[in-house]
Amino acid sequence: MTNNGQFRGATLTVDLRAVRANYRLLRSRLGAAALCAGVVKADAYGLGASYVALALFAEGCRHFFVAHLDEGLALRPYLPRSADIFILNGLPRGAEQECVMAGLVPVLNSLEQAEAWFDCAQRLARTLPTVVQVDSGMNRLGLMPDDTATCAKNYSRAGVFDLRFVMSHLACADTPAHEANAMQLAAFRQLAALFPDVPRSLANSSGIFLGRDYHFNLARPGAALYGVNPGPAAVNPMRPVVRLTARVIQLREVSPGDRVGYGLDYSAPTASRLATLSIGYADGLHRLWGTHGAVFFESKRLPVAGRVSMDSIVVDASSVAPGCIGPDSEVEVIGEHQPVDDLACAAGTIGYEVLTALGHRYRRIYLGADESVPSVVLEDTLS
Ligand SMILES: *Cc1c(COP(=O)(O)O)cnc(C)c1O
């Protein structure tokens, strides 16, 4: 790109100070025995893993989780060695050396992975940092109970693995009353007991709000750091992180019955003022969202008119007085009037999916990025 984004159609503002405030809030909910990690997989839920990780590091976070080894390799240069990066999806076959060399810590999810990592440690005659994930009932990732016992017996011998954590993941943490929470907690306690003295990790964002029993030694929040409500049934305690605005590129007055967009699906009920915005499904605004979607201009709600196109949408701006909105006006897609969870609801999905779908075409502005760098640079020059 040859410009700084000033001609882009839409602007994504990521408030790193809000990410830091959210991290502090989550940490304050944890007991003194529990550390707070930062989950920055999928490019920090679409918001920029290097920026977010540095902001969290500046806040004292030293445990970072990504999903893929490649994500860990990409993030590693941004973080000092005092920060651990854990690979949630496990150790890819044949990637042991790569993992060791980059200083990344695999989450072992199967006996095969445990064996490969164990062999690698013996070959190198080194103790390797390791996380073991056990399946406490979600049936997605991690060792099944029988394999957990085998793993504990065969591989937790002192000196080969430096077992940093035994972890599991909750399936229903966002529904506090769900019976699965207590069942998974009990199963996790039993399985983790096979690794005596190894620190434990269970809670994601929502899990932190289930209470002290779920905190153990390390919590792993992702979504809540980014402003998504960890308890969808209650008022969101997190600070909003994302603001998304789109530019008006054209305005037109239409008559009753005039039709709009692909398929001419929409028919203007009355004489209307329509605004075309330079944002579309290529920017993560799903076509399904169009049916119930709206954007905001100041505090006025402008409903979507017709189908979402790849690069544009049309909204009904009749409620805005003539002359008050025009080409280059900015409308809010996510922000004060429409939090990320509300947009998700209108699209029939969840905040997680909205954020990770945002795409790469925006002008991106990071608020507070300059405040996160110095401590990192300082630490590296001191160590
Ligand atoms: C994604 C993920 C998290 C973070 O979950 P949030 O709900 O975003 O807080 C934690 N642990 C595991 C294993 C994950 O896959």
Side-chain angles (χ1 to χ4, degrees):
M1 294 292 155
T2 53
N3 66 68
N4 64 5
Q6 62 194 320
F7 304 121
R8 301 289 179 86
T11 302
L12 182 71
T13 306
V14 177
D15 187 350
L16 296 170
R17 291 169 301 204
V19 173
R20 291 173 65 161
N22 287 337
Y23 181 80
R24 290 195 298 270
L25 183 132
L26 295 170
R27 201 173 45 192
S28 75
R29 296 293 174 107
L30 298 170
L35 296 165
C36 193
V39 178
V40 294
K41 61 192 180 188
D43 201 25
Y45 294 44
L47 304 188
S50 58
Y51 287 94
V52 166
L54 281 180
L56 293 174
F57 187 92
E59 208 51 60
C61 180
R62 294 294 179 271
H63 301 81
F64 297 86
F65 286 85
V66 294
H68 302 292
L69 179 56
D70 277 346
E71 292 179 334
L73 292 170
L75 181 61
R76 189 67 273 185
Y78 292 95
L79 287 170
R81 286 287 160 153
S82 61
D84 284 320
I85 301 175
F86 304 98
I87 313 297
L88 285 170
N89 278 11
L91 183 64
R93 232 182 256 268
E96 300 81 22
Q97 296 274 8
E98 188 90 33
C99 230
V100 174
M101 274 166 6
L104 302 170
V105 184
V107 173
L108 303 179
N109 289 312
S110 70
L111 281 181
E112 293 69 35
Q113 291 176 12
E115 193 179 336
W117 195 234
F118 190 84
D119 288 349
C120 179
Q122 296 211 304
R123 248 191 342 270
L124 301 173
R126 276 182 60 178
T127 300
L128 294 180
T130 306
V131 174
V132 168
Q133 175 157 229
V134 299
D135 184 351
S136 56
M138 188 175 176
N139 284 313
R140 184 183 70 167
L141 264 179
L143 292 153
M144 300 294 279
D146 284 354
D147 287 347
T148 304
T150 308
C151 178
K153 184 154 68 70
N154 294 355
Y155 303 118
S156 62
R157 215 184 313 145
V160 180
F161 286 168
D162 167 19
L163 272 176
R164 304 289 304 281
F165 296 99
V166 54
M167 63 168 271
S168 192
H169 192 50
L170 296 165
C172 304
D174 61 352
T175 313
H178 204 294
E179 61 187 16
N181 293 316
M183 285 164 62
Q184 283 199 269
L185 179 63
F188 178 60
R189 283 209 168 108
Q190 250 181 1
L191 294 168
L194 296 167
F195 302 87
D197 303 324
V198 175
R200 301 173 180 187
S201 174
L202 180 63
N204 64 338
S205 298
S206 306
I208 293 173
F209 294 86
L210 293 178
R212 286 286 154 94
D213 282 353
Y214 291 80
H215 294 168
F216 295 98
N217 305 104
L218 180 76
R220 306 183 310 270
L225 292 171
Y226 311 119
V228 171
N229 190 354
V235 175
N236 190 354
M238 311 316 298
R239 240 168 80 172
V241 167
V242 171
R243 182 172 156 76
L244 178 59
T245 60
R247 214 157 47 83
V248 174
I249 44 181
Q250 205 176 37
L251 216 63
R252 54 171 38 74
E253 309 283 340
V254 296
S255 309
D258 281 355
R259 303 204 287 171
V260 181
Y262 281 120
L264 299 177
D265 269 3
Y266 179 87
S267 172
T270 55
S272 308
R273 181 172 312 109
L274 302 181
T276 304
L277 312 177
S278 56
I279 188 169
Y281 61 73
D283 305 294
L285 292 186
H286 296 301
R287 289 172 83 248
L288 267 178
W289 169 75
T291 324
H292 303 290
V295 299
F296 285 81
F297 181 71
E298 286 152 9
S299 56
K300 294 242 163 49
R301 184 176 186 276
L302 316 184
V304 174
R307 291 188 197 166
V308 175
S309 298
M310 183 187 292
D311 317 299
S312 59
I313 55 175
V314 177
V315 296
D316 184 347
S318 305
S319 59
V320 182
C324 291
I325 188 168
D328 287 338
S329 295
E330 295 266 327
V331 301
E332 173 195 306
V333 181
I334 297 174
E336 167 187 14
H337 300 94
Q338 178 155 258
V340 61
D341 292 303
D342 290 10
L343 180 89
C345 188
T349 181
I350 54 175
Y352 296 65
E353 197 180 29
V354 167
L355 293 182
T356 54
L358 285 176
H360 298 282
R361 215 160 44 155
Y362 298 114
R363 172 188 187 198
R364 283 181 178 236
I365 297 173
Y366 287 91
L367 302 177
D370 44 337
E371 297 155 35
S372 331
V373 179
S375 69
V376 175
V377 173
L378 190 65
E379 172 171 304
D380 261 3
T381 47
L382 292 178
S383 61

